[in-house]
């Protein structure tokens, strides 16, 4: 039938000693650096049973931190998703003057240490910043308040969606969008029915990464938050605060919550992925669909 | 739909894709834009379709200036070189796309899609995705999708370029029949002169962003305006510095007026056609196309001396009159 079908999988080769060695090194590396420490956090948390954990997780300071982290993420992720898609389309499709500069600029939050981003925000919005006093006079406090934390989180997680979507847009090309236009589709409808489906995996991956980063951001947030327990303390700051107050159970319990949230995000993604694939392809073509997803 | 193009100019950086092009395409005609790559033919098609904006000039469809209008407002069907299938939609949904945008009733959409898929003979593939189709099937789907919105003009960019020879021939004839049934004004771009001659009733020959000549296939073949058109359409060789069709060279056994002495270097039998490769006394090479019967009557064999006489030799002002000594295709 069609010539561009995925080629049949190469026959399984006998495992050579070198392959085994390489695999062993990779797995040991992962185990030592990733699995063991994370596992230990879980173990230490429940060392003295579940009671102290429940107690730590029902304190008002923890609950406030948990709530704040959720709020910040719920604001930052849609912002960056929408901005990311718009920026990617602008850079790839419209190629504005100074596009190359803008393109480099978008990576800045990755290149800069989050601490620097936090300090930069204070220089603009702080009490002695460029527009900070102006805003404060109107009763709007940014630094040492929730808006500053949201801003810092948006900034540090800004590149994810853009970077995931841009290569997809390039790869898809303009053919399908042009075809839709000749069939009478306006630009919004073309975006919704042609462009968005084509880039949706990039958007989803970008959103996942943005979410994970938003939940876990520490450096920039720690500079701008002021760390007022129960007010401007996010989960990561709460972990640090508990740790330094000689409350290991409180610190580990909050860490476990953070880890579980990240896990839930990743799990949600894989469920979504398999669900979409099953809906899109009939039974007989599922293997091909899986192959495509892997690519 | 009648298409009128006035003084169209388009540059891409330093490259002049179209240079003050004027063209009129009759309502209901089947026209080929023919030229080598870089001649501007695709740019012209895309500007007519509204996919590209000209730097200067105007596009007038049925008396209405549409130069600055988007493609949605032009009532066209466009078939892309690589078909541009909507990859995440089934064949059915691809074809239905234009109709759902027009908010037609569901029953009407279903009926129309079924009709079109039957017309292009892929009704059994309605639930497949484009990635599961062959090139020819994708091409048919692209045609059905473009026809679904009942365009008043069908534009095709190298529609058969990416298909293998057999499928290409088949789809060509199919397009011709489709046009004869629907009479929708059709313009297609091609670099293949045989394809243009085979399908179109009007050919526009382009080179370097200009129209070199336009006319019926016969016109262009018999009365080329310049050396470029003559060499681009049909086989050409040279005798005494003039361009000649190889089948317009008579080979004679004895010297006659206007005939030059040549040595038969090689004789190639291509079934009905026989190709005689000839060398002039000064070393200049040329070739003649004969029927098998003519070749037999003359007893043309390698090493023989014969006399060649050109029936319609042409000289043109444009100096590039090299021509192809031996056909490449």
């Amino acid at each position: 039938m069609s010539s561009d079908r995925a080629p049949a999988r190469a026959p399984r080769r006998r495992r050579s000693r070198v392959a085994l060695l390489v695999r062993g090194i990779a797995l040991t590396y992962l185990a030592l650096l990733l699995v063991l420490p994370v596992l230990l956090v879980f173990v230490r948390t429940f060392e003295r049973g579940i009671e102290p954990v429940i107690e730590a997780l029902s304190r008002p300071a923890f609950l406030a931190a948990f709530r704040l982290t959720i709020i910040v993420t719920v604001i930052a992720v849609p912002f960056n998703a929408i901005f990311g898609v718009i920026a990617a389309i602008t850079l790839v499709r419209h190629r504005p003057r100074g596009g190359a500069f803008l393109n480099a600029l978008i990576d800045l939050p990755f290149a800069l240490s989050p601490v620097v981003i936090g300090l930069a925000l204070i220089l603009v919005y702080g009490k002695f910043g460029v527009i900070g006093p102006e805003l404060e006079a109107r009763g709007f406090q940014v630094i040492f308040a929730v808006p500053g934390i949201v801003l810092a989180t948006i900034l540090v997680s800004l590149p994810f969606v853009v970077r995931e979507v841009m290569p997809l847009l390039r790869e898809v090309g303009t053919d399908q969008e042009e075809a839709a236009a000749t069939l009478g589709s306006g630009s919004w409808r073309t975006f919704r029915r042609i462009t968005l489906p084509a880039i949706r995996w990039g958007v989803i991956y970008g959103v996942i990464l943005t979410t994970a980063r938003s939940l876990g951001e520490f450096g920039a947030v720690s500079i701008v938050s002021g760390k007022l327990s129960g007010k401007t303390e996010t989960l990561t700051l709460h972990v640090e605060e508990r740790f330094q107050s000689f409350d290991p159970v409180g610190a580990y319990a909050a860490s476990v919550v953070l880890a579980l949230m990240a896990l839930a995000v990743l799990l949600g993604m894989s469920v979504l992925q398999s669900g979409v694939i099953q809906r899109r392809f009939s039974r007989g073509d599922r293997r091909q669909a899986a192959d495509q997803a892997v690519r | 739909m009648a298409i009128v193009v006035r003084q169209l100019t388009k540059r891409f950086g330093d490259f002049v894709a179209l240079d003050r092009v004027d063209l009129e395409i009759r309502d209901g005609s089947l026209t080929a834009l023919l030229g080598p790559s870089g001649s501007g033919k695709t740019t012209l098609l895309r500007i007519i379709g509204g996919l590209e904006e000209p730097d200067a000039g105007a596009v007038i469809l049925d008396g209405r200036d549409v130069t600055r209008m988007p493609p949605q407002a032009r009532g066209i069907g466009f078939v892309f070189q690589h078909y541009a299938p909507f990859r995440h939609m089934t064949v059915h949904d691809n074809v239905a796309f234009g109709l759902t945008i027009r908010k037609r009733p569901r029953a009407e959409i279903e009926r129309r899609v079924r009709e079109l898929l039957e017309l292009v003979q892929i009704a059994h593939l309605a639930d497949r995705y484009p990635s599961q189709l062959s090139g020819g099937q994708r091409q048919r789907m692209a045609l059905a999708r473009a026809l679904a919105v009942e365009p008043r003009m069908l534009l095709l960019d190298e529609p058969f370029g990416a298909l293998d020879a057999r499928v290409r021939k088949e789809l060509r004839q199919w397009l011709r029949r489709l046009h004869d049934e629907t009479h929708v004004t059709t313009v297609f771009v091609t670099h293949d002169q045989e394809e243009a001659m085979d399908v179109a009733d009007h050919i526009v020959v382009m080179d370097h962003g200009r129209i070199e000549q336009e006319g019926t296939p016969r016109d262009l073949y018999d009365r080329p305006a310049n050396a470029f058109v003559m060499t681009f359409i049909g086989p050409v060789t040279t005798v005494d510095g003039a361009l000649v069709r190889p089948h317009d060279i008579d080979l004679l056994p004895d010297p006659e007026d206007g005939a030059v002495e040549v040595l038969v270097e090689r004789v190639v039998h291509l079934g009905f056609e026989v190709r005689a490769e000839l060398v002039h006394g000064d070393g200049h090479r040329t070739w003649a196309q004969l029927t098998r019967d003519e070749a037999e009557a003359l007893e043309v064999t390698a090493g023989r001396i014969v006399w060649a006489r050109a029936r319609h030799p042409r000289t043109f002002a444009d100096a590039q009159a090299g021509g192809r000594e031996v056909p490449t295709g």
Side-chain angles (χ1 to χ4, degrees):
Chain A
M1 208 190 44
S2 93
S3 54
D4 48 8
R5 238 174 195 252
R9 209 163 287 193
R12 210 166 228 254
R13 244 177 285 155
R14 221 162 50 83
R15 287 180 197 174
S16 68
R17 248 174 242 166
V18 179
L20 274 177
L21 185 70
V22 170
R23 190 173 308 191
I25 291 173
L27 287 179
T28 313
Y29 186 82
L30 271 180
L32 283 179
L33 280 168
L34 189 70
V35 180
L36 186 67
V38 174
L39 209 66
L40 278 181
V41 169
F42 276 81
V43 171
R44 287 297 288 276
T45 306
F46 297 102
E47 218 169 26
R48 270 171 254 162
I50 199 136
E51 297 288 310
V53 177
I54 290 175
E55 197 265 329
L57 295 187
S58 43
R59 276 183 220 142
F62 168 81
L63 291 174
F66 181 76
R67 198 179 313 121
L68 182 58
T69 292
I70 297 284
I71 289 172
V72 167
T73 305
V74 163
I75 299 174
V77 170
F79 251 89
N80 274 339
I82 292 167
F83 166 81
V85 171
I86 292 174
I89 288 177
T90 307
L91 284 171
V92 175
R93 291 282 186 266
H94 304 295
R95 299 176 182 202
R97 267 169 222 275
F101 176 70
L102 199 70
N103 194 17
L105 200 68
I106 281 174
D107 279 333
L108 203 62
F110 277 175
L112 274 180
S113 165
V115 176
V116 179
I117 290 174
L119 279 175
L121 281 175
I122 287 187
L123 285 179
V124 179
Y125 299 103
K127 222 180 187 61
F128 306 101
V130 180
I131 57 171
E134 194 78 12
L135 290 172
E136 227 162 284
R138 281 154 212 221
F140 191 73
Q141 193 185 352
V142 177
I143 300 300
F144 304 146
V146 175
I149 298 172
V150 172
L151 218 54
T153 307
I154 288 178
L155 265 180
V156 294
S157 59
L158 182 126
F160 288 111
V161 175
V162 190
R163 284 289 167 253
E164 290 295 325
V165 170
M166 276 179 72
L168 278 180
L169 272 178
R170 280 209 194 92
E171 189 213 308
V172 171
T174 54
D175 267 22
Q176 297 181 55
E177 290 164 13
E178 286 181 344
T182 63
L183 292 168
S185 174
S187 46
W188 171 244
R189 194 195 303 265
T190 301
F191 170 74
R192 240 185 49 232
R193 294 204 46 191
I194 306 299
T195 314
L196 200 55
I199 61 171
R200 83 177 165 258
W201 285 116
V203 177
I204 290 173
Y205 281 121
V207 162
I208 298 295
L209 294 173
T210 309
T211 308
R213 182 69 196 258
S214 300
L215 292 174
E217 173 53 23
F218 177 78
V221 165
S222 115
I223 300 278
V224 299
S225 94
K227 302 179 186 172
L228 303 172
S229 178
K231 280 200 180 134
T232 64
E233 199 178 66
T234 62
L235 260 186
T236 51
L237 298 178
H238 181 72
V239 170
E240 188 208 22
E241 188 269 325
R242 285 291 90 201
F243 190 71
Q244 287 181 348
S245 311
F246 305 104
D247 174 14
V249 175
Y252 290 137
S255 301
V256 164
V257 171
L258 268 174
L260 288 178
M261 284 162 87
L263 213 65
V265 168
L266 293 179
L267 221 65
M269 177 179 77
S270 48
V271 166
L272 201 67
Q273 195 169 351
S274 62
V276 169
I277 286 170
Q278 278 173 14
R279 231 175 302 130
R280 243 192 74 179
F281 295 90
S282 60
R283 197 174 292 260
D285 302 318
R286 205 170 290 168
R287 183 213 292 255
Q288 191 194 352
D291 286 348
Q292 279 180 351
V294 169
R295 259 186 274 141
Chain B
M1 182 183 274
I3 304 166
V4 177
V5 156
R6 285 208 204 296
Q7 292 288 301
L8 269 194
T9 299
K10 178 76 182 177
R11 286 183 201 86
F12 296 105
D14 288 340
F15 179 72
V16 181
L18 290 179
D19 185 10
R20 289 161 291 163
V21 167
D22 286 304
L23 178 65
E24 294 191 16
I25 292 171
R26 267 186 313 111
D27 182 35
S29 66
L30 175 45
T31 302
L33 302 180
L34 173 67
S37 61
S39 60
K41 55 195 192 302
T42 293
T43 306
L44 178 56
L45 189 82
R46 286 173 61 84
I47 290 178
I48 293 173
L51 296 171
E52 211 88 61
E53 254 194 51
D55 297 328
V59 178
I60 295 143
L61 303 181
D62 274 350
R64 198 165 60 119
D65 187 332
V66 300
T67 314
R68 306 289 155 198
M69 277 187 201
Q72 298 94 294
R74 298 192 182 197
I76 55 162
F78 203 106
V79 175
F80 292 79
Q81 187 173 4
H82 300 290
Y83 324 130
F86 300 142
R87 290 188 224 164
H88 60 287
M89 294 184 198
T90 60
V91 170
H92 171 280
D93 291 353
N94 263 275
V95 176
F97 185 81
L99 297 167
T100 54
I101 279 176
R102 282 162 180 73
K103 304 241 188 319
R104 296 284 168 76
R106 204 191 159 84
E108 188 196 323
I109 293 178
E110 291 306 317
R111 186 177 49 77
R112 185 98 183 100
V113 170
R114 200 169 338 107
E115 272 173 21
L116 282 160
L117 289 180
E118 269 159 25
L119 179 73
V120 299
Q121 297 153 9
I122 53 169
H124 57 296
L125 303 172
D127 296 327
R128 297 272 183 94
Y129 283 88
S131 64
Q132 301 165 312
L133 303 182
S134 70
Q137 290 164 345
R138 268 183 235 183
Q139 173 66 289
R140 288 160 190 272
M141 182 194 82
L143 274 163
R145 184 177 69 180
L147 290 170
V149 296
E150 290 174 8
R152 294 196 295 150
M153 161 173 89
L154 189 58
L155 306 175
L156 307 100
D157 185 7
E158 295 273 5
F160 313 118
L163 302 171
D164 64 57
R166 196 179 51 80
V167 180
R168 189 155 65 215
K169 277 231 158 78
E170 198 183 300
L171 273 177
R172 262 192 217 166
Q173 281 155 18
W174 182 83
L175 178 68
R176 181 71 234 183
R177 280 203 304 276
L178 178 83
H179 179 264
D180 292 343
E181 282 165 26
T182 59
H183 297 291
V184 61
T185 311
T186 304
V187 183
F188 73 100
V189 157
T190 180
H191 62 267
D192 180 345
Q193 52 98 9
E194 192 194 321
E195 190 168 288
M197 306 274 277
D198 187 4
V199 180
D201 46 42
H202 193 81
I203 300 179
V204 178
V205 182
M206 298 185 66
D207 192 33
H208 293 114
R210 292 168 192 243
I211 292 175
E212 295 289 344
Q213 188 178 2
E214 54 173 308
T216 64
R218 198 125 183 222
D219 273 346
L220 296 180
Y221 193 86
D222 293 343
R223 284 180 293 281
N226 53 39
F228 173 80
V229 175
M230 181 151 180
T231 49
F232 199 75
I233 294 182
V236 167
T237 186
T238 54
V239 171
D240 275 350
L243 290 177
V244 187
R245 299 281 183 213
H247 52 73
D248 282 343
I249 294 179
D250 291 332
L251 295 185
L252 312 163
D254 302 300
E256 275 181 46
D257 269 0
V260 289
E261 190 181 7
V262 290
L263 169 70
V264 179
E265 193 179 36
R266 185 164 169 251
V267 179
V268 185
H269 293 269
L270 301 165
F272 174 74
E273 175 197 339
V274 173
R275 197 165 75 200
E277 295 176 16
L278 313 166
V279 193
H280 290 254
D282 61 1
H284 178 77
R285 283 191 161 73
T286 185
W287 65 282
Q289 190 180 27
L290 312 161
T291 66
R292 198 168 59 183
D293 292 348
E294 287 168 348
E296 266 167 25
L298 256 172
E299 292 169 23
V300 188
T301 46
R304 243 196 98 180
I305 301 282
V306 292
W307 279 261
R309 186 169 57 196
R311 251 177 289 149
H312 306 288
R314 289 165 204 276
T315 47
F316 296 100
D318 52 334
Q320 61 170 123
R324 284 169 292 176
E325 303 297 318
V326 169
T328 49

